[in-house]
Each structure stands twice: as C-alpha cells, then as structure tokens.
Amino acid sequence: MLEVNGIDVYYGSLQIIWNVSLRVESETVVLIGPNGHGKTTILKTIAGLLKPKKGSIKFNGVELTTLPTHKIVGMGITYIPQDIRLFPDMTVMENLLLGAYVADAWKNRRGRLKMVFEIFPRLNERKNQLARSLSGGERRMLAIGRGLMSNAKVLLIDEPSCGLAPMLVKDVFEKIKELKERMKLSMIVAEQNVRYLPEIADRVYLIESGRVVLEGPTDEVLNSERVKETYIGM
C-alpha cells in the first residue's frame, strides 16, 4: 500500500500542496482538477523528485521522503511525466531497455519486454525505429512501456491524454485499462479529461488549489454537483 499523509510541498518559498493525504492499494486512483493546482506536484513528490516540508509518504510501511529517487524506483514506483522525455535519437528498443536499468529489472528484462510488446504491439512493429519518428500516441505508449520495464509495482502517470487527438486519447486509455486488468498494477493517474475515467478509476481525488477537496468512489465523485458543474459542464 502507498500512503501519503498530510504533506505540504513548496517550490522555493511558494507553497503548492497543503496537507494532502491519499492512499493507493491494488487499484487505480485518478487525480482530477484544473491545470496548475498541484496534481503533477503530488506525483513528483511521491516519486522523490520533490521533498515535502511536512508529512510522510510510505510504501508498504517504508518511509520514502528520506530516499533518493533511484531508490524509490528500485522499490517499484515509477513516474511517467506529462512531457514524456524519451530519447528521440535512440530506437524504441533502446528506450525500452533504458527503463530496465535497475539491477532487478535488468535480470527480468526479457520477460518484461515480451509483456510490453504483448500490450503494445505497435511498439514491437516499430522497435527498430527512432523514437522521434513515432506518432504522439505511440510516444505515450513507449513512455508507459519504458516505465513498465522497471518492474513497476506502482505507476504514476501524469496527464496521459495531454496533446493527443481524441482517437489517440481513446487508444491510450484502453491501454491503461488493459494494464489495470492484466497486470493488477497499482496506478495513480493525474488527468483532466474525465470522459474515460469510469473505465479505469476505482477512486477519484479532486485537487483544487493544492488541496484535496473531494474524494471517493469514481461514480460518487463524478456525479457530485461540484464536478458536474465545473468539469463536465452540466
């Protein structure tokens, strides 16, 4: 279980996150809310890229806030950023293998690679192409596939629909749903597009102004007056 308890997070002297708590078990949790209100900051803090000024983050009882990012990755928590950050002049295969740089992941790289290609067959078809030649949806799938190569137990996926055409968004969410069903991964997904959330989310947290303002089962949160008026336009 991943537990975030009462964290405050700052950029310099500017506080971005206020007393945020959340938990993730064997499930998919989605963070929704406006741009610039803290969803990405929460994911980066869990991944160790930012350190909270207050509060704790524990994974299976181990405190993460004192650990460097590579140790957190080694424990099975992988962050997939919104801007993807592939190596454009390396092939699809080379990008995937870089995801397995953790020692335990490298030992299992062949099995993981087989699994990634089963879930993302287009990556197998394009494994010898440069990453820069892929479409936006394929680059997103490669970023997720590279994250899976690290022996991930928890995936932190930031804005998977960002910048994609509607049909590509559908494809990406179908793949996230397949990960959820086939691999039983725990996932935290930060996302503004609420259309596909009922297919992937077990629970939803609404983040506004760096605070959790609503939390609960997906149907309950999406059917709340606050979400319907502000995010669904009803």
Side-chain angles (χ1 to χ4, degrees):
M1 178 192 292
L2 180 67
E3 298 175 280
V4 178
N5 295 304
I7 59 169
D8 290 349
V9 184
Y10 291 72
Y11 285 106
S13 61
L14 180 63
Q15 187 168 1
I16 304 297
I17 299 299
W18 305 74
N19 196 37
V20 162
S21 296
L22 59 88
R23 61 181 172 81
V24 185
E25 300 185 39
S26 298
E27 60 184 336
T28 299
V29 167
V30 177
L31 312 181
I32 63 171
N35 263 345
H37 281 239
K39 301 188 304 296
T40 294
T41 300
I42 292 170
L43 297 188
K44 285 184 173 181
T45 306
I46 294 170
L49 297 170
L50 298 169
K51 297 298 182 183
K53 289 284 183 71
K54 181 178 80 74
S56 72
I57 302 171
K58 292 183 178 181
F59 181 52
N60 293 333
V62 177
E63 180 62 51
L64 302 184
T65 57
T66 58
L67 298 179
T69 299
H70 72 277
K71 293 285 189 183
I72 294 173
V73 174
M75 292 178 67
I77 298 174
T78 300
Y79 173 56
I80 300 169
Q82 176 182 331
D83 56 4
I84 302 178
R85 299 187 186 180
L86 300 174
F87 293 92
D89 294 317
M90 298 176 72
T91 66
V92 167
M93 178 67 83
E94 288 168 338
N95 270 276
L96 288 172
L97 291 176
L98 280 173
Y101 72 90
V102 178
D104 287 343
W106 188 253
K107 294 175 186 175
N108 299 324
R109 66 190 182 281
R110 290 183 179 84
R112 278 277 166 164
L113 198 59
K114 181 176 182 290
M115 176 268 301
V116 167
F117 284 154
E118 286 175 355
I119 295 173
F120 301 110
R122 271 183 281 180
L123 297 183
N124 192 20
E125 294 166 8
R126 291 157 173 74
K127 62 186 176 185
N128 296 318
Q129 290 181 215
L130 296 181
R132 67 165 65 252
S133 70
L134 301 180
S135 69
E138 289 165 348
R139 288 196 298 271
R140 184 70 63 185
M141 291 175 189
L142 177 54
I144 295 173
R146 186 176 62 182
L148 292 172
M149 290 295 294
S150 68
N151 278 353
K153 299 179 180 68
V154 180
L155 280 185
L156 312 175
I157 308 178
D158 197 2
E159 300 284 358
S161 72
C162 182
L164 299 182
M167 280 304 297
L168 295 178
V169 171
K170 183 174 184 293
D171 287 347
V172 168
F173 275 101
E174 284 178 352
K175 292 303 181 183
I176 292 174
K177 182 180 179 182
E178 187 174 349
L179 289 177
K180 171 184 170 69
E181 292 173 348
R182 286 184 58 174
M183 297 189 64
K184 311 301 182 186
L185 285 171
S186 298
M187 290 186 275
I188 306 178
V189 181
E191 181 55 64
Q192 287 190 83
N193 187 335
V194 299
R195 177 178 178 183
Y196 297 102
L197 295 196
E199 298 181 20
I200 67 165
D202 298 296
R203 290 185 299 113
V204 174
Y205 289 80
L206 174 58
I207 310 296
E208 291 182 351
S209 301
R211 296 172 170 86
V212 175
V213 297
L214 192 61
E215 180 266 328
T218 303
D219 289 345
E220 181 180 306
V221 173
L222 295 186
N223 287 319
S224 68
E225 290 303 316
R226 184 168 194 154
V227 170
K228 286 196 292 186
E229 291 175 6
T230 307
Y231 300 97
I232 305 178
M234 296 175 62

